[in-house]
Amino acid sequence: MYNETHRPQFHFSARENWLNDPNGLFFYDGQYHLFFQHNPFGTAWGNMTWGHALSPDLLHWRQVEHALYPDALGTMFSGSAVVDWHNTTGFQAGDQPPIVLIYTAAGGTSPESQGKPFTQCLAFSTDGAQTWQKYPGNPVLGEQRSGNRDPKVIWHDPTRRWIITLYLDENDFALYASPDLIHWEHLHDLVAPDSIECPDLFRLPVDGAPGMKKWVWMAGNGRYYIGDFDGSRFNPESDLLTGDWGANFYACQTYSDIPDPDARRIQIAWMKDGQYPGMPFNQQMSFPCEIRLRDTPHGPRLTRWPVREIERIWADRQSWENLHLDSRGILLTADAGQQLDISVSIGLKDARAVGLEIGGVAIRYDCEAQTLNCLGCTAPLAPEDGRIHLRCLLDRTSLEVYGNRGLVSMSSCCLPSEQNAVLRIFAEGGGSVFEQVTASNVLSTWPKE
Ligand code: FRU
């Protein structure tokens, strides 16, 4: 268990069976909670149930009892969670604040719910997230449009109310406000080209622009607007930007209730469509990333960067310095392992392309086109001071690449090839200096069962 051939070793996957979107991400009393779209009965999508896992450090996950099972209103589609510190719902029944799950009951997706629409519902815990009960007054929001789903809730302190962003249909989304999560008022609709499902909304300071804070609205595919939100209306101030350039990044969600002074905005995505042949489980989550905004010449841009906790599971760190490459490759190690965290700083000089190869997969920077290429995906990436910085997390079936400290993020899945232990660096068509290369093995975080 947990050491099957294609089992990711430091990424979350369900003990068994199918998993898709991360749901209900919140932090409470020292634990990060991760719910997930789950089919308890098979390795294909279906019978949507909320699985549940928790972790003290975003590394070591313990899967516990499922939290939400299908009922007469439908199967349990995606949603979010909040700690109701002010007991606005009135659900509190003891010392602990209520913890509320806001989810979609997908009517019509099970025999018991035939003929019913998709609606938004609540479930809550009064014992600090150990047991869950559904709100007897469900649904709290009736059908707005056929298929509407994936409510994400945040507390908006200036107006002392909850703000909910919801997927409607096609490329349409909407914002709602509620004093108590039970009564919802429509604020406005929002369109995001080529984007569907699982929206998110949050506010962040802009690194490099002291005093500036911006709102980010994001769709399930990671595409996002930067803008302003006054408690009633989100006004995009940017084009729709790309949050991740990989082939397997989807249904991302950020954590609620991470307390000050940490107050990080941490995101997990489903690594959609990975292949896990012969495994008792199917699909995995991305590695948790801290999301920040960075001031750039084009305006503020999102960065994604693996949470620093990963350093606790580094092992056998190797490093190399000032490797001068002239149109050639060098083998750094033939035995790099299948779980790696690698960082590379490259001075570009006159090379046409530079990069590294891990287990036969190339992460290639095209210096002329100024693009990063990996596993069939391409992202624009400009050098900074004549240098490119790359970081790569490899965990058996996934490769997550971060360019220039998270300005580009590329999350992809791939099945390891035979030669998965080889780590090479290369330059083509000219010279370059690999000023710094560090490679750490990453330890498994699963319990030894
Ligand atoms: C996104 C999604 C959501 C839906 C859920 C169903 O992957 O399609 O829109 O709520 O998955 O499992």
Side-chain angles (χ1 to χ4, degrees):
M1 191 61 162
Y2 287 126
N3 193 22
E4 304 92 339
T5 331
H6 298 311
R7 173 76 76 174
Q9 293 297 295
F10 59 97
H11 287 68
F12 182 77
S13 55
R15 188 160 40 217
E16 55 183 359
N17 293 324
W18 172 267
L19 154 161
N20 55 296
D21 312 354
N23 292 155
L25 304 182
F26 74 95
F27 178 91
Y28 180 71
D29 195 20
Q31 299 285 337
Y32 293 89
H33 289 257
L34 162 63
F35 299 84
F36 51 95
Q37 287 284 281
H38 188 43
N39 181 358
F41 305 118
T43 52
W45 184 90
N47 307 304
M48 283 297 122
T49 297
W50 278 34
H52 186 194
L54 24 110
S55 171
D57 56 8
L58 297 161
L59 302 170
H60 300 83
W61 295 99
R62 182 166 58 92
Q63 189 174 334
V64 295
E65 271 172 56
H66 299 334
L68 299 179
Y69 285 97
D71 59 29
L73 294 177
T75 62
M76 304 288 102
F77 273 25
S78 288
S80 53
V82 286
V83 182
D84 181 13
W85 292 104
H86 310 292
N87 192 25
T88 63
T89 52
F91 294 160
Q92 189 159 346
D95 295 345
Q96 315 238 30
I99 299 171
V100 187
L101 311 181
I102 305 93
Y103 64 93
T104 299
T109 58
S110 57
E112 301 89 305
S113 65
Q114 278 320 306
K116 302 221 171 89
F118 279 30
T119 57
Q120 315 314 320
C121 297
L122 306 181
F124 59 95
S125 172
T126 56
D127 58 10
Q130 293 180 56
T131 59
W132 302 94
Q133 47 190 303
K134 289 179 177 151
Y135 173 57
N138 281 337
V140 290
L141 184 72
E143 181 184 63
Q144 311 291 294
R145 302 232 200 125
S146 169
N148 52 194
R149 58 187 180 273
D150 309 339
K152 173 70 165 118
V153 178
I154 54 167
W155 175 251
H156 189 255
D157 208 45
T159 55
R160 314 272 315 154
R161 59 185 187 169
W162 302 101
I163 302 295
I164 302 128
T165 171
L166 185 72
Y167 174 58
L168 296 177
D169 67 1
E170 299 187 343
N171 302 134
D172 296 343
F173 298 81
L175 265 61
Y176 298 82
S178 172
D180 54 11
L181 292 173
I182 296 166
H183 304 91
W184 296 28
E185 170 202 344
H186 176 254
L187 295 176
H188 68 93
D189 289 357
L190 184 73
V191 182
D194 304 321
S195 301
I196 60 169
E197 304 178 329
C198 303
D200 202 345
L201 179 67
F202 47 87
R203 187 173 185 238
L204 287 172
V206 181
D207 297 337
M212 188 191 278
K213 288 194 171 185
K214 283 288 164 198
W215 284 84
V216 176
W217 180 92
M218 189 178 273
N221 55 8
R223 305 210 62 198
Y224 67 100
Y225 288 118
I226 292 175
D228 244 323
F229 178 65
D230 61 3
S232 298
R233 173 160 282 275
F234 175 79
N235 282 315
E237 293 169 349
S238 70
D239 294 338
L240 191 64
L241 303 163
T242 300
D244 187 280
W245 299 83
N248 304 85
F249 179 92
Y250 200 65
C252 50
Q253 185 177 116
T254 61
Y255 267 88
S256 184
D257 293 285
I258 297 183
D260 290 333
D262 186 347
R264 284 179 291 174
R265 179 70 34 193
I266 294 172
Q267 184 186 59
I268 297 181
W270 165 33
M271 295 199 79
K272 185 179 188 210
D273 297 335
Q275 303 294 310
Y276 308 83
M279 294 294 103
F281 68 93
N282 193 2
Q283 307 295 297
Q284 71 177 77
M285 295 303 178
S286 70
F287 192 76
C289 275
E290 183 175 359
I291 301 290
R292 302 176 74 100
L293 286 177
R294 186 185 302 167
D295 196 30
T296 77
H298 311 287
R301 291 292 181 269
L302 208 85
T303 61
R304 299 186 74 248
W305 193 243
V307 293
R308 58 177 172 266
E309 283 83 347
I310 195 171
E311 295 169 20
R312 300 181 198 163
I313 49 170
W314 281 348
D316 304 325
R317 199 163 166 75
Q318 284 185 274
S319 56
W320 298 263
E321 271 172 30
N322 292 322
L323 304 172
H324 290 258
L325 264 65
D326 201 6
S327 300
R328 64 185 175 114
I330 17 180
L331 179 72
L332 290 184
T333 161
D335 187 18
Q338 287 183 309
Q339 296 145 228
L340 287 170
D341 185 351
I342 302 174
S343 283
V344 192
S345 285
I346 315 169
L348 297 180
K349 301 179 71 184
D350 59 355
R352 261 207 320 272
V354 292
L356 61 159
E357 231 178 76
I358 312 173
V361 176
I363 299 136
R364 187 172 186 276
Y365 183 70
D366 183 323
C367 310
E368 284 166 3
Q370 302 200 339
T371 56
L372 181 65
N373 304 283
C374 181
L375 290 164
C377 296
T378 298
L381 184 67
E384 286 172 0
D385 296 330
R387 281 185 192 80
I388 284 291
H389 183 269
L390 301 176
R391 179 161 181 202
C392 311
L393 299 190
L394 175 75
D395 187 7
R396 294 192 174 177
T397 49
S398 64
L399 180 62
E400 289 153 305
V401 180
Y402 309 89
N404 287 355
R405 297 187 169 71
L407 208 47
V408 157
S409 141
M410 217 182 236
S411 304
S412 297
C413 290
C414 59
L415 273 177
S417 68
E418 298 293 316
Q419 320 81 34
N420 57 28
V422 176
L423 174 61
R424 257 180 92 245
I425 53 173
F426 61 85
E428 294 166 10
S432 69
V433 193
F434 283 65
E435 294 165 351
Q436 181 81 41
V437 182
T438 52
S440 305
N441 284 105
V442 183
L443 300 174
S444 171
T445 55
W446 291 119
K448 304 279 172 287
E449 288 191 7

